[in-house]
Amino acid sequence: MTMSNMLNMPVNAKDVKIMNYINGEFVAPTSGSYLMSYNPATGEEMTPIPDSMAKDVDNAVCAAKNAFPMWSNMPATERAAMLNRVADMIDENCQKLATLESQDQGKPVMMAAMCDMPTCANTFRQFAKYIVDGIMETKSTANVMMTKMSVTKNEPGTMMATTQHVPAGVAGLITPWNFPMQMVCEKIAPCIAVGNTCVVKPTELTSVTPFVLSQIMDAAGIPAGVVNFVFGTGTKAGEPLVKHKDVRLISFTGGSLTGARVGAMSGGMYKRVSLELGGKNPSLVFSDCDMNHAVATNVRAAFQNQGEICLCSSRQYVQRDVYDMYLQMFRQMTMEEVIVGDPSNPKTFYGPVVSKQHMEKVMSYIRLAQEEGAKVEFLVNPNDKMVKNVSKDGMLTIKGMEGGYYIAPTLITGMKQSSRLMQEEIFGPVVCVMPFKTEEEAIQLANDTEYGLGASVWTMDKVKMMRVMKQVNAGSVWGNSWYNVDDNMPFGGMGCSGTSREHGPWSLEFYTETKALYYPSMK
C-alpha cells in the first residue's frame, strides 16, 4: 500500500473533518468550538473549522520547540528525502487536491490542477535540492595583525573567515485565502528544509487543503512536532502565534492593514518578520506595443483567479492615441473568453469570490464608482445561458448556483487618479483603465500609490522598456508579460506591499541566521 492510499483522501470538502495537527497528532481545539466554512460556488455550509485559541497555539509552539534540536541536527539528505516524499504525494493526489481547493476557495478546478498543485510539489523539490547541494557560504582571507606571544606586540598573520547559515528556531507561518495550499507550501518547504520547525496558521476561510497537507506530511513521515497546524481566526489564534515568546520568525502573507498589525506586534520582540502584502499593480500600455498581446495578457491579469491575486493588474494605463482601440479590444476579448460560473466546468475562466463578506466588499467599490460618476461596464456575454441575472452592482446569478458569490468582470473608466478605486486594493474581478499622454506621466501615475508589489510595461522599444521598468517602484516588474515568476528570483514588495524578500535563496536567507566564523590560517 502506497502512502497516498493510506491517506484515503476524500473528493468532497464536506467529508473533510478538519482538526488541529499538533506534535504528530490530530486533535480537537481545546475550546471545543468550531467555525463553519461555506462553499463559495453555492453558498452552502461545507465543513466545520476549529476555532483555536492561545492554549492550542502554545501547545503547538511547545511541540515545535521540542522537535527543533532533533530536526535541526538531522542530516540535510534525510530532511530532503522527506520533502521529496511530500512532493510525490502532492503529485499523486493532484486532481483530488485541486477539486478540494476549488470547493473551498472558488477557483476553477482546472487552474488548481494545472498551476497551484504542481507549484506546491515543485516547491518542496526545489528546497530539497537546495539543501542537498548546500547553501553557498561566503569565504574570505585577510592579512591582519594578530596577538601571538604578547598582548602588546602584535605580529602579522593571515585570518580566514567564512559564513555559516544555521536554522533560527520555531517559525510562525500565517497564510492567506487566495492560494490556500500553494502559500502554505511556499512557506513550509524552505522553513523546514533548513532545519527550522514551525506552527502554521492558515486562514479560517480556506482551511481544507492546508489540513489535507498536514495529513500528507504525517503520512510522508515528517517527525512529530516539526510541522504543526492550528486552525482558527487571526484574533484568537494568529495574534497569540505572533506574540509567542518562543517563536523566532514570522512569515505573513495577507492584507496590508493586518500586515501592519503583525509588524507592530512583532516589533518589540526582536523577531525576524517577513510581510508579503497587497498590491495595486499598474500596467503601462504604450502605443508602440503589440496590442493583441497586451490586451490578451491584461484581460488575464485583471480577472484570473477572480481577480484575487496580489499581482493582478487592477490599474491599467493606456497611451491616449490607442486608448479607445484598447478599450474596444478589451471589452470584446473579455466578453468572448471570460466565462464566469461553475468552477468544476473546464470552460470556466473564473469562479466565485471567496466569501459573501468579500463579495460585498468588492461590490461596494463598484457602487462607489457609480456614485462618483465613473463609467461602469459589466462585460458579460449576452449569449451566456448560464447567467440568469446581473445586478446593478455587478453580482451574477448563475443557473443552478443561485447562492454563490459571483461577480461580473467589471471595467471602470472615467474615474480620477485620486479616487479610492485607483488607490485601494479591491481584490476582485474589477479593473480600472485610464489614459496617459507621455512616458513621464505614465511613470508618475504608476508610482502614485502607497503600494509597490508588481507592474508591467508594454512597448516594442526595448530601450524604453528597460528605462521605464527601472523607474517603476515595484518589487517585480515585467516587460511585455505578466506573472511569469522565476522561483529563483526574489519576491516581495515596497511600501504597503510588504517587507523582506522570499523565494529561492532569499527564502534560505530569511529562514536562517548567518554567522561569521573567523579563524587563523594554520599549517
Short mmCIF file of all heavy atoms in Angstrom, two decimals, residues 362-385:
data_model
loop_
_atom_site.label_atom_id
_atom_site.label_comp_id
_atom_site.label_asym_id
_atom_site.label_seq_id
_atom_site.Cartn_x
_atom_site.Cartn_y
_atom_site.Cartn_z
N VAL A 362 -16.19 43.88 -2.51
CA VAL A 362 -15.89 44.19 -3.91
C VAL A 362 -17.02 45.02 -4.53
O VAL A 362 -16.78 46.02 -5.22
CB VAL A 362 -15.64 42.90 -4.71
CG1 VAL A 362 -15.47 43.22 -6.20
CG2 VAL A 362 -14.41 42.17 -4.19
N MET A 363 -18.26 44.62 -4.28
CA MET A 363 -19.39 45.34 -4.86
C MET A 363 -19.51 46.75 -4.28
O MET A 363 -20.04 47.65 -4.94
CB MET A 363 -20.68 44.55 -4.67
CG MET A 363 -20.72 43.28 -5.50
SD MET A 363 -22.35 42.49 -5.59
CE MET A 363 -22.73 42.25 -3.85
N SER A 364 -18.99 46.97 -3.07
CA SER A 364 -19.04 48.33 -2.51
C SER A 364 -18.16 49.28 -3.33
O SER A 364 -18.47 50.47 -3.46
CB SER A 364 -18.58 48.31 -1.05
OG SER A 364 -17.17 48.13 -0.93
N TYR A 365 -17.09 48.77 -3.92
CA TYR A 365 -16.25 49.60 -4.79
C TYR A 365 -16.96 49.88 -6.11
O TYR A 365 -16.81 50.97 -6.68
CB TYR A 365 -14.91 48.92 -5.03
CG TYR A 365 -13.94 49.08 -3.89
CD1 TYR A 365 -13.79 48.07 -2.95
CD2 TYR A 365 -13.18 50.23 -3.75
CE1 TYR A 365 -12.89 48.20 -1.89
CE2 TYR A 365 -12.28 50.38 -2.69
CZ TYR A 365 -12.15 49.35 -1.77
OH TYR A 365 -11.27 49.50 -0.72
N ILE A 366 -17.72 48.92 -6.59
CA ILE A 366 -18.49 49.14 -7.82
C ILE A 366 -19.54 50.23 -7.58
O ILE A 366 -19.73 51.14 -8.40
CB ILE A 366 -19.15 47.83 -8.29
CG1 ILE A 366 -18.06 46.82 -8.69
CG2 ILE A 366 -20.10 48.08 -9.45
CD1 ILE A 366 -18.59 45.44 -9.02
N ARG A 367 -20.18 50.16 -6.43
CA ARG A 367 -21.16 51.20 -6.08
C ARG A 367 -20.48 52.55 -5.92
O ARG A 367 -21.03 53.59 -6.32
CB ARG A 367 -21.91 50.81 -4.80
CG ARG A 367 -22.87 49.63 -4.99
CD ARG A 367 -23.77 49.45 -3.79
NE ARG A 367 -23.05 49.00 -2.61
CZ ARG A 367 -22.87 47.71 -2.28
NH1 ARG A 367 -23.35 46.75 -3.07
NH2 ARG A 367 -22.21 47.38 -1.19
N LEU A 368 -19.27 52.56 -5.36
CA LEU A 368 -18.52 53.81 -5.21
C LEU A 368 -18.25 54.42 -6.58
O LEU A 368 -18.40 55.64 -6.77
CB LEU A 368 -17.20 53.54 -4.48
CG LEU A 368 -16.22 54.72 -4.41
CD1 LEU A 368 -16.81 55.86 -3.59
CD2 LEU A 368 -14.88 54.27 -3.82
N ALA A 369 -17.86 53.60 -7.55
CA ALA A 369 -17.60 54.10 -8.90
C ALA A 369 -18.86 54.73 -9.49
O ALA A 369 -18.80 55.81 -10.12
CB ALA A 369 -17.12 52.95 -9.79
N GLN A 370 -19.99 54.09 -9.28
CA GLN A 370 -21.25 54.63 -9.79
C GLN A 370 -21.60 55.94 -9.11
O GLN A 370 -22.04 56.90 -9.76
CB GLN A 370 -22.35 53.59 -9.60
CG GLN A 370 -22.16 52.34 -10.46
CD GLN A 370 -23.02 51.17 -10.03
OE1 GLN A 370 -23.46 51.09 -8.88
NE2 GLN A 370 -23.27 50.25 -10.96
N GLU A 371 -21.35 56.02 -7.81
CA GLU A 371 -21.64 57.25 -7.06
C GLU A 371 -20.73 58.39 -7.51
O GLU A 371 -21.13 59.56 -7.51
CB GLU A 371 -21.47 56.99 -5.56
CG GLU A 371 -22.52 56.05 -4.98
CD GLU A 371 -22.14 55.55 -3.60
OE1 GLU A 371 -21.08 55.99 -3.08
OE2 GLU A 371 -22.87 54.71 -3.05
N GLU A 372 -19.48 58.07 -7.88
CA GLU A 372 -18.54 59.10 -8.30
C GLU A 372 -18.73 59.53 -9.75
O GLU A 372 -18.04 60.43 -10.24
CB GLU A 372 -17.10 58.60 -8.11
CG GLU A 372 -16.69 58.47 -6.63
CD GLU A 372 -15.24 58.06 -6.47
OE1 GLU A 372 -14.60 57.69 -7.49
OE2 GLU A 372 -14.73 58.12 -5.34
N GLY A 373 -19.64 58.87 -10.45
CA GLY A 373 -19.91 59.24 -11.83
C GLY A 373 -19.02 58.59 -12.85
O GLY A 373 -19.00 58.99 -14.03
N ALA A 374 -18.26 57.57 -12.45
CA ALA A 374 -17.42 56.84 -13.40
C ALA A 374 -18.30 55.95 -14.27
O ALA A 374 -19.45 55.65 -13.94
CB ALA A 374 -16.39 56.00 -12.65
N LYS A 375 -17.76 55.50 -15.39
CA LYS A 375 -18.48 54.59 -16.27
C LYS A 375 -18.18 53.17 -15.84
O LYS A 375 -17.02 52.75 -15.78
CB LYS A 375 -18.05 54.80 -17.72
CG LYS A 375 -18.82 53.92 -18.71
CD LYS A 375 -18.39 54.20 -20.15
CE LYS A 375 -19.16 53.34 -21.13
NZ LYS A 375 -18.75 53.62 -22.55
N VAL A 376 -19.22 52.41 -15.52
CA VAL A 376 -19.08 51.03 -15.05
C VAL A 376 -19.73 50.10 -16.07
O VAL A 376 -20.90 50.26 -16.42
CB VAL A 376 -19.74 50.84 -13.67
CG1 VAL A 376 -19.64 49.39 -13.22
CG2 VAL A 376 -19.09 51.76 -12.64
N GLU A 377 -18.94 49.15 -16.55
CA GLU A 377 -19.45 48.19 -17.53
C GLU A 377 -19.25 46.76 -17.01
O GLU A 377 -18.15 46.41 -16.56
CB GLU A 377 -18.70 48.35 -18.86
CG GLU A 377 -18.82 49.73 -19.49
CD GLU A 377 -17.94 49.87 -20.71
OE1 GLU A 377 -18.27 49.24 -21.75
OE2 GLU A 377 -16.93 50.58 -20.63
N PHE A 378 -20.31 45.97 -17.11
CA PHE A 378 -20.23 44.55 -16.75
C PHE A 378 -20.08 43.76 -18.05
O PHE A 378 -21.01 43.69 -18.86
CB PHE A 378 -21.47 44.13 -15.97
CG PHE A 378 -21.69 44.94 -14.72
CD1 PHE A 378 -22.91 45.58 -14.48
CD2 PHE A 378 -20.68 45.10 -13.79
CE1 PHE A 378 -23.11 46.34 -13.34
CE2 PHE A 378 -20.87 45.86 -12.64
CZ PHE A 378 -22.08 46.49 -12.41
N LEU A 379 -18.90 43.17 -18.22
CA LEU A 379 -18.55 42.57 -19.51
C LEU A 379 -18.98 41.11 -19.56
O LEU A 379 -18.15 40.19 -19.62
CB LEU A 379 -17.05 42.72 -19.76
CG LEU A 379 -16.51 44.16 -19.67
CD1 LEU A 379 -15.02 44.20 -19.95
CD2 LEU A 379 -17.27 45.08 -20.62
N VAL A 380 -20.28 40.91 -19.55
CA VAL A 380 -20.87 39.57 -19.58
C VAL A 380 -21.41 39.30 -20.97
O VAL A 380 -22.13 40.13 -21.55
CB VAL A 380 -22.00 39.45 -18.53
CG1 VAL A 380 -22.64 38.06 -18.59
CG2 VAL A 380 -21.45 39.74 -17.13
N ASN A 381 -21.08 38.15 -21.51
CA ASN A 381 -21.57 37.78 -22.84
C ASN A 381 -23.09 37.59 -22.78
O ASN A 381 -23.58 36.76 -22.01
CB ASN A 381 -20.90 36.48 -23.30
CG ASN A 381 -21.17 36.17 -24.76
OD1 ASN A 381 -22.25 36.42 -25.27
ND2 ASN A 381 -20.18 35.61 -25.43
N PRO A 382 -23.85 38.35 -23.56
CA PRO A 382 -25.32 38.23 -23.51
C PRO A 382 -25.82 36.86 -23.96
O PRO A 382 -26.96 36.50 -23.67
CB PRO A 382 -25.80 39.34 -24.45
CG PRO A 382 -24.64 39.60 -25.36
CD PRO A 382 -23.42 39.37 -24.55
N ASN A 383 -24.98 36.09 -24.62
CA ASN A 383 -25.38 34.75 -25.08
C ASN A 383 -25.05 33.65 -24.08
O ASN A 383 -25.30 32.48 -24.35
CB ASN A 383 -24.69 34.45 -26.42
CG ASN A 383 -25.12 35.40 -27.52
OD1 ASN A 383 -26.30 35.75 -27.63
ND2 ASN A 383 -24.17 35.83 -28.34
N ASP A 384 -24.48 34.04 -22.93
CA ASP A 384 -24.17 33.05 -21.90
C ASP A 384 -25.46 32.63 -21.20
O ASP A 384 -26.01 33.37 -20.38
CB ASP A 384 -23.17 33.64 -20.90
CG ASP A 384 -22.63 32.61 -19.91
OD1 ASP A 384 -23.26 31.53 -19.78
OD2 ASP A 384 -21.61 32.88 -19.26
N LYS A 385 -25.94 31.45 -21.50
CA LYS A 385 -27.22 30.97 -20.98
C LYS A 385 -27.18 30.62 -19.51
O LYS A 385 -28.23 30.44 -18.88
CB LYS A 385 -27.68 29.75 -21.78
CG LYS A 385 -27.79 29.99 -23.29
CD LYS A 385 -28.76 31.11 -23.61
CE LYS A 385 -28.91 31.31 -25.12
NZ LYS A 385 -29.77 32.48 -25.44
#
